[in-house]
Amino acid sequence: MNETLWSERQKATWKTKLGLAEMLKGGVIMDVTTVEEAKIAADAGAQAVMALERVPADIRAHGGVARMSDPGMIAAIQNAVSIPVMAKCRIGHFVEAQILEALGVDFIDESEVLTPADDCFHVDKHNFRAPFVCGCRDLGEALRRIGEGAALVRTKGEAGTGDIVEAVRHLRTVRDTVRRLTNLPSEELMSEAKTMGAPYDLVVEVSLTGKLPVPNFSAGGVATPADAALMMQLGAEAVFVGSGVFKSGDPVKRARAIVDAVAHYQDPVRLVEISRDLGDSMSGIATGAIEEGAKLAGRGW
Amino acid sequence: MRRVGIIAFQGAFERHAQALRALGAQPVQVRTRAALAEVERLIIPGGESTTIGMLMEREGLIESVRQRMNEGMPVFGTCAGMILLADELTTSAPEHRDTERTPYIGGLAIAIERNAYGRQVESFETELAAPELENRPIPAVFIRAPAVRSCGPSVRILAQFEGAPVLVRQERILAASFHPELTEETAVHRYFIDRV
C-alpha cells in the first residue's frame, strides 16, 4: 500500500465529511462578517467561523432577500484564519452550494437564515465533496437532511433573537424523540417513519443506537456563556453563536467567555468567573413577540 | 485497569475513548491539572489545534503536560495533537496565517505544516503500511491534515504516505497526522498503550 497515488485516494468520503464534524465537537462556531471579527473569534478560541455578510439579527432588521455572501468576502476570511471556514447557501440553491464548494469552504450551511430559493426541495448533498450542515426543529427534519447527505445537523432555535427558548425546545424535541424511538418495538418503526416523514432506515438506526448518525450541534439564540452551557448540558455536542457575540457590548470578552463556557459547561463554579463583567449582552427580541410567519425556523421542508 | 487520559476540551475525544474501551483500558477525560495527575498516559486528540492549545494554556495544562512528559509519561497526539507536540511549525504558503504559533506543548523533534493537504474538500481516506504495528495495511482518515516536513535524528518513522511521515515515534511520544480513532482499527491505540 506504500504506492498509493494521489489519484487513488478516496476523496471526500462519508467518513471524511463526518470526520470533520467529529473534530468540531465540544467547541464554538462563530458568525463573523469581517476579517477583524474572524481574527477576534480565532483568538478567542473559536474552532471555526461562519463567514456571512450580515449576522442574523441584522438580516432580520434589514429585511429583503438574504443571499449567499460575496465570495470575495468569504475568501478574505479564509485567508485570515487557519481554522475551518463555513458559509451559508440558501435552502435548495445548489448553485450557491457549488460556488461555495469551488471556493473551498470547509462546511456549507444550507440555512434557513437566508431566504429559501426552493419552497419544496433541499440540495442533494450527496452530490458534493464539501460536507453540509443543516438546521432541524425535530427528529424527522434532522433525518430528512441526513438522508439528503448532511454530515452534521444543528437544532435551529430562532436565529438573531438572543432568545434561547426555541433552541431549548428544538433540542429537547429531537432528544425526546430519539429516546422514545429506542423503546418502540420494531413493527412500529415503519409507521413512525411515515408519521415523522423520515427515511425508514435512519429511523431504524436511531432506534437501535439511541443517537443520531451524525453529530448534533445547537444554534439560534445563544447570547450568554450560561446559554451556551445550557445547550451543552441539554446534550448539544457543540454550539453555533450568531449575533450573540458581535451584537454585544464587548465582543472580545464575550467571545472568549462563550468558548470557555462550552469547555467547562459542567462546572458552575467556573461559570461564575466566566460570566462575570462581560458588559451588555445583545438586547434581543423575545420570540413570543415574533409572528409565526416571520420566524426563520419555519423554513425547511 | 490502565487509566489513559484524553484532553477533552474540544475535538474527537469521545472517539478515542471508544477505542480505549475496546482495548480494555479506562479513558479519563482531562480538563484540569487534577485530572491529569490521575492518569498514567495521555492522548491529545484531533480537533482545532489553536482551540485545544489555548484552552490547555488557560488551565495551566501546557506546563503540567510538559512536566509529566519530562518525568516519562507516554503521550500520543493525533492531527491537532501532533501539531501541539511538534517543536517547529513550518509553512509552504507564507501568506497564510498558519505560521502564527498559538500555545503548544512541543517535545517532538519535527517540523510540521498545518492544513498541508488542503482544505476540507481535499480530506481523504487511504491505507497505510506500518509493519512495526501490524502486518496488514491499516485504514487511515486524513482530515485537513498536517504534514511532517522534517524530523530530527531521534524520530523514528513508523508509517509514511507519499514520502511524508504520517506516524512517528520519539521515545515515549507517538504522533499521527491521521485519525486512527475514526476507524474500527485499534492497532495504533494498542501500540500506544502496550509498547510506548
Side-chain angles (χ1 to χ4, degrees), chain A residues 9 13 23 47 80 82 260, chain B residues 10 97-98 114 125 162:
Chain A
R9 288 177 194 168
T13 59
M23 294 308 137
Q47 56 175 354
S82 63
D260 287 346
Chain B
Q10 188 271 327
R97 193 162 170 262
D98 292 1
R114 292 185 64 195
E125 286 184 68
E162 292 179 343

Side-chain angles (χ1 to χ4, degrees), chain B residues 4 7-8 12 23 34 42 49 62 76 85 89 93 102 108 114 123-124 131 148 155 159 170-171 176 189 191 195:
Chain B
V4 181
I7 297 290
L23 295 169
L42 183 69
S49 59
I62 297 264
F76 174 29
L85 289 168
L89 193 63
T102 44
L108 177 60
R114 292 185 64 195
S123 292
F124 60 97
V148 177
V155 176
Q170 174 191 312
E171 293 166 4
H189 288 86
Y191 179 84
R195 292 164 64 188

